[in-house]
Amino acid sequence: MSIALRDPPDLDKDAGSGIVARRAVMRWGWRLFRREWRQQLLVLGLLTAAVAAAIWGASAVTNVQLANPNYATFGTAAAQVTLPGADPNLAADIAAIQRRWGPADVIENQDITTVTTQSVQLRAENTHGHYNSPLVSLVSGTYPADPGQAALTSQVASRYGAHVGGAWKAAGTTWRVTGIVADPSNLADEFALVAPGQVRHPSQVIMLIGSPAVQRATSNGNVTLPGIPAAAAVTVPNANSGGISPAVLVLVVEVLGLVLIGLVSVAGFSVMAQRRLRALGMLSAIGATERNLRLVMIAGGLAVGVAAALAGAAVGFAAWFAYVPTLQQATGHVVDAANLPWWAFAIGVVLAIATSVLASRRPAKTMAAVPVVAALSGRPAPPKAVHRSALPGVIVFAAGVACLAFADGLAGVDGGGPGHAPFLLAGLAATIVGVILLAPLAISVLAAGGRPRVPAAIRIALRDLVRYRARSGAALAATTFAVFLAMAICIVASIRFDNPLDWIGPNLSSSQLIFYAQQSPAPGQMIQLSPAQAARLGRQVDSLAASLHVRSAVPLESTGATLYQVGAQVHGPSNFTGTVYVATPQLLATYGIKASQIAPGTDFLTMRPGLAGRPHMEMIWGNATGCSGLCTGNRTEPGGDGGPPCTLSNGCLANPAIQTVSNLPGGTSAPNTVITQYAVSKYHLQPSLNGWLIQAPAPLTARQINAAKRLALADKVTFETRSDTPGLGEFADGGTALGIVIALGVLAASVGLIRSETARDLRTLTAVGASGATRRMITAATAGALGLLGAILGMAGALIAGLAWAHSSMSAVFGDLPLSNAAILLVGLPLVAAAAGWLLAGREPPLIARQPIE
């Protein structure tokens, strides 16, 4: 019996590709999706995660800050007038302001204390005022309306054991608690709310005004209003800066993620298209056009995208509403769960659906062009000629490199203005696209190395990468993209950490603690301790140091001298960031630095790499700058443009002698750069006590830090311990780890697709006696080859892009590049991929004796 295959009948063009045909193939595509959705779980899961992350992330960043940062202070008012409670004409002044500037919300505050050391404000205001709605809200119960009634915040009620309906004693009065209130814009605000007029002795009176006359008077930031009493202080809200919406940044991250997902999706849809090849051939045999065949696959991609978008939206919204209480507690203000960037959600959903459709379009076009006989036989389509993607890849990559060169590196960032930004963005996009287009060429080059002497398992793996280049090329492109991002993060981090003057990173080590010799009686106020107070605090700090097994704390002295760079182009502040301490004998002994190690005539010792060789340096002290060497904007430092000459009489020393000593501590607040006793004596500088450093032998525990905190609170001084600020190593390590994790995830998914498509060949190998080690070697070689190519292409692309962008500032960009992280990407990624492929493969395939039904 023979079957004759006939050519498709001559159908009318409109009938063959009309509405009826499109509806038929789309229904078939939908049925295939419902039947084979399990085979597309990878793409479904990735797209679902991308949409959910975009919705949750955009919602969170939109609500991290108040809708208007000025709500916490001004409510909806245009200005705030503050009157002292001791004003003898308080009532008359309030009335005069209201007559001149219209209605006002009057808030009377009285600081009260009860059985604890914590103070609480007794606050009287009209809860239904004109402008104070963002400052007070009712949580439960009722607002106070009569004398003797009060509503407490939850913190105050908990501290004093009060409850709604109970009594609360304060300010010489017993108040009946009517409700629980809160400041929606500042949940940490602790106060007791009473009816207007119930605060007998206010310590401060705040008036919120916002009439049209006030708005006109303060429209230009003016803080002087006519008719305001001399005792009053006027403040106006800060202008809200536009800037980039946080939701836009989330969308940018989502686009990068969708690019990665799209590349993996191409591989997934290619496998699905190969599985459907016979069915597509039968459909073509009965008269379907190539357009109809493409529509089958595109309809499947559309179904996947819509299903993933709906599932991702449901997961994202559920995660957001569950996260709202946590975010509210972390930010300290009420979060409106309905305050959402719906436009960002719509764009994110559309992008996810478009990613799925575009990913299915490429294999759809390839499979639709397969001849009918070849499709019915199930043979895979021949791979596209390499030059068809290599030549455009070279052109696009070259164009991207040229754009990056025109961006002018760090000079463009510092002073080039917005004109350089399009070149930078276009260059990055074109470079990434060019590297991705070159991926198939790299596969062919690697497969050419499959010589007869190479083990058979490795040759099979390399040839399969070429046979199924549609899948392997997409997998390699995704891996390359992940490595490119990781390497770019390392380069950017090295740029940010390169300037030795603008030193950033962790402030102290976990075993260091600094007490400062200044009191802070109020926020923003610093008062130097008297000699008697400093001596007493020094003894207490020494006692604390002894409890930490330290002989004594190290006094930190400073002279006001600092460093400044003049004339040379630098990328960041030219002033020294931090405090230059004095190299006292005790400080040097603490870090094992001997006097014999210091070269004669040295002015500074530093551990900051590159500071000793910095050109055009000056040491400035005293009133040389008029601002202790920390000026910004138009600088008038000696030796600078428009400033006096750098002479000793002007408090300036050109080209001070700086010696690098690695023993000094490296924290930004630690004595990482010190002025020598020689310089202090030669230039007649006057040291003064700045604080005490405790260098413990082991990391400080929570109990030890709490003991230091109690000491600081008792003397109203400030102290400092290690913060969570990351350094260059943390940034580079984080970027490297992120790139490796993403690349391994992509490789795992892609290698699984490639090996599943070659399941028939694997069954044949097993039937002729191939061992588990051979099967493991095939999978390991596939994963390792893709990992090695991805690492080479990604690193090469990132480095070439960086060289093109930084051609005018090479040392600033690559001077501090963490080579260990680059080595991990280049060597570690392929090794880990090969090891994972070896461990996860080797199981004998089922159904060796018969062909499974697809």
Side-chain angles (χ1 to χ4, degrees):
M1 179 179 178
S2 62
I3 298 177
L5 296 177
R6 59 182 178 84
D7 292 333
D10 293 332
L11 299 175
D12 181 75
K13 182 177 181 181
D14 293 334
S17 59
I19 297 176
V20 175
R22 288 197 294 270
R23 288 176 59 187
V25 295
M26 289 187 71
R27 284 199 304 270
W28 186 48
W30 169 247
R31 285 196 298 269
L32 288 176
F33 167 72
R34 288 189 303 170
R35 189 179 66 182
E36 300 176 349
W37 64 270
R38 293 178 182 82
Q39 283 77 23
Q40 304 182 58
L41 276 178
L42 173 65
V43 178
L44 277 169
L46 291 174
L47 289 174
T48 299
V51 174
I55 290 178
W56 177 85
S59 303
V61 299
T62 300
N63 289 277
V64 163
Q65 294 182 340
L66 290 168
N68 186 334
N70 296 307
Y71 279 170
T73 304
F74 299 89
T76 58
Q80 181 187 96
V81 180
T82 304
L83 294 163
D87 183 3
N89 303 313
L90 183 59
D93 288 343
I94 293 175
I97 294 172
Q98 289 179 322
R99 284 194 304 269
R100 177 67 175 81
W101 296 104
D105 291 342
V106 180
I107 304 174
E108 299 172 310
N109 293 316
Q110 178 182 350
D111 293 330
I112 59 174
T113 56
T114 54
V115 296
T116 69
T117 58
Q118 297 291 335
S119 62
V120 174
Q121 276 195 338
L122 194 64
R123 185 175 300 172
E125 63 179 305
N126 180 6
T127 56
H128 302 289
H130 301 278
Y131 316 109
N132 65 340
S133 57
L135 298 174
V136 62
S137 65
L138 184 66
V139 178
S140 62
T142 61
Y143 284 122
D146 299 321
Q149 293 182 346
L152 312 179
T153 61
S154 58
Q155 303 99 314
V156 175
S158 175
R159 180 176 300 130
Y160 302 121
H163 57 86
V164 177
W168 178 62
K169 294 181 180 181
T173 304
T174 300
W175 308 86
R176 186 172 66 85
V177 180
T178 62
I180 301 297
V181 293
D183 181 349
S185 59
N186 181 12
L187 295 177
D189 190 7
E190 301 184 13
F191 62 93
L193 182 67
V194 297
Q198 295 302 301
V199 174
R200 298 185 179 89
H201 306 288
S203 55
Q204 183 186 66
V205 176
I206 294 174
M207 300 181 65
L208 301 178
I209 54 178
S211 64
V214 176
Q215 296 176 14
R216 289 192 298 270
T218 60
S219 60
N220 59 351
N222 180 33
V223 294
T224 58
L225 299 177
I228 298 297
V234 179
T235 55
V236 297
N238 294 322
N240 291 327
S241 59
I244 300 177
S245 169
V248 173
L249 300 179
V250 174
L251 283 178
V252 171
V253 175
E254 185 192 16
V255 169
L256 294 176
L258 287 175
V259 170
L260 201 68
I261 293 170
L263 295 172
V264 179
S265 300
V266 169
F269 283 118
S270 297
V271 172
M272 294 303 302
Q274 180 63 37
R275 288 176 178 172
R276 297 174 181 175
L277 187 57
R278 288 195 181 100
L280 293 174
M282 185 63 69
L283 195 64
S284 178
I286 62 175
T289 63
E290 288 190 10
R291 183 178 181 182
N292 297 142
L293 299 180
R294 290 196 301 269
L295 190 57
V296 173
M297 292 297 302
I298 294 174
L302 178 63
V304 170
V306 171
L310 294 176
V315 173
F317 281 119
W320 161 241
F321 287 113
Y323 181 66
V324 166
T326 303
L327 180 64
Q328 190 165 273
Q329 183 178 6
T331 58
H333 63 78
V334 172
V335 173
D336 182 7
N339 179 31
L340 300 175
W342 297 102
W343 62 270
F345 298 165
I347 294 176
V349 168
V350 169
L351 287 175
I353 296 175
T355 298
S356 180
V357 172
L358 292 175
S360 65
R361 184 177 178 83
R362 178 181 172 183
K365 183 179 180 180
T366 301
M367 293 304 170
V370 175
V372 176
V373 175
L376 291 175
S377 66
R379 292 196 301 267
K384 185 193 299 184
V386 172
H387 70 274
R388 296 184 60 183
S389 64
L391 182 59
V394 171
I395 295 174
V396 173
F397 184 78
V401 170
C403 289
L404 290 174
F406 281 114
D408 205 16
L410 293 175
V413 174
D414 288 344
H420 290 271
F423 285 108
L424 178 60
L425 296 177
L428 283 175
T431 302
I432 293 173
V433 172
V435 171
I436 290 174
L437 291 176
L438 289 172
L441 175 62
I443 292 176
S444 299
V445 172
L446 182 65
R451 302 297 180 183
R453 294 183 180 181
V454 176
I458 298 179
R459 291 204 308 273
I460 291 173
L462 296 179
R463 291 172 182 174
D464 282 346
L465 290 177
V466 177
R467 287 180 62 198
Y468 302 101
R469 193 183 296 147
R471 270 68 78 204
S472 60
L476 178 58
T479 305
T480 301
F481 184 59
V483 175
F484 185 96
L485 290 180
M487 196 63 196
I489 291 174
C490 292
I491 294 175
V492 171
S494 67
I495 295 172
R496 181 64 185 92
F497 285 79
D498 179 71
N499 191 344
L501 288 171
D502 184 21
W503 191 253
I504 63 174
N507 59 336
L508 298 170
S509 70
S510 58
S511 59
Q512 291 175 333
L513 175 67
I514 293 181
F515 281 90
Y516 293 101
Q518 296 91 24
Q519 285 185 333
S520 179
Q525 297 183 11
M526 300 298 293
I527 301 175
Q528 189 71 24
L529 294 177
S530 66
Q533 291 173 322
R536 182 173 59 83
L537 180 59
R539 291 191 294 269
Q540 294 175 333
V541 173
D542 284 339
S543 177
L544 176 64
S547 68
L548 300 177
H549 308 289
V550 178
R551 178 176 300 178
S552 64
V554 180
L556 296 176
E557 298 179 356
S558 63
T559 62
T562 188
L563 292 167
Y564 175 71
Q565 186 175 27
V566 175
Q569 181 182 4
V570 292
H571 311 288
S574 298
N575 289 290
F576 183 90
T577 56
T579 303
V580 177
Y581 293 108
V582 178
T584 61
Q586 186 177 355
L587 188 148
L588 296 178
T590 300
Y591 294 102
I593 302 173
K594 300 179 180 179
S596 58
Q597 297 177 251
I598 304 175
T602 299
D603 298 308
F604 290 92
L605 303 177
T606 184
M607 61 73 55
R608 298 189 179 192
L611 183 60
R614 207 75 172 177
H616 310 292
M617 294 299 298
E618 294 178 351
M619 179 180 81
I620 48 182
W621 66 89
N623 295 321
T625 66
C627 48
S628 300
L630 296 177
C631 293
T632 57
N634 296 322
R635 299 183 171 93
T636 59
E637 284 80 352
D641 294 338
C646 182
T647 61
L648 295 180
S649 60
N650 287 328
C652 177
L653 172 66
N655 301 315
I658 304 175
Q659 179 181 342
T660 302
V661 179
S662 59
N663 290 26
L664 288 171
T668 58
S669 296
N672 56 72
T673 300
V674 294
I675 185 170
T676 62
Q677 296 277 10
Y678 161 80
V680 172
S681 174
K682 181 176 180 179
Y683 306 114
H684 308 292
L685 304 179
Q686 298 298 322
S688 61
L689 182 65
N690 190 274
W692 297 266
L693 168 67
I694 297 178
Q695 180 70 58
L700 300 172
T701 64
R703 171 180 284 184
Q704 293 168 339
I705 294 176
N706 285 334
K709 184 182 297 184
R710 288 194 298 269
L711 174 58
L713 289 174
D715 288 88
K716 297 181 180 179
V717 297
T718 58
F719 81 109
E720 187 175 4
T721 57
R722 177 181 171 84
S723 67
D724 295 328
T725 304
L728 171 61
E730 286 84 352
F731 275 109
D733 292 346
T736 303
L738 177 64
I740 289 179
V741 169
I742 294 176
L744 289 177
V746 169
L747 289 175
S750 303
V751 171
L753 291 173
I754 295 172
R755 300 292 7 133
S756 67
E757 196 165 359
T758 59
R760 183 188 309 173
D761 300 334
L762 194 60
R763 284 190 290 269
T764 302
L765 288 173
T766 304
V768 298
S771 64
T774 301
R775 296 191 295 269
R776 290 181 186 275
M777 180 62 73
I778 293 175
T779 305
T782 303
L786 288 176
L788 178 62
L789 285 177
I792 294 174
L793 284 177
M795 289 187 61
L799 290 174
I800 293 174
L803 290 171
W805 177 67
H807 63 279
S808 61
S809 49
M810 299 288 287
S811 61
V813 175
F814 295 100
D816 201 20
L817 184 65
L819 298 179
S820 59
N821 295 85
I824 291 174
L825 285 172
L826 185 60
V827 179
L829 176 60
L831 288 180
V832 173
W838 176 276
L839 293 174
L840 298 178
R843 187 178 61 181
E844 182 174 306
L847 306 175
I848 293 179
R850 59 188 176 89
Q851 171 72 27
I853 299 177
E854 298 289 352

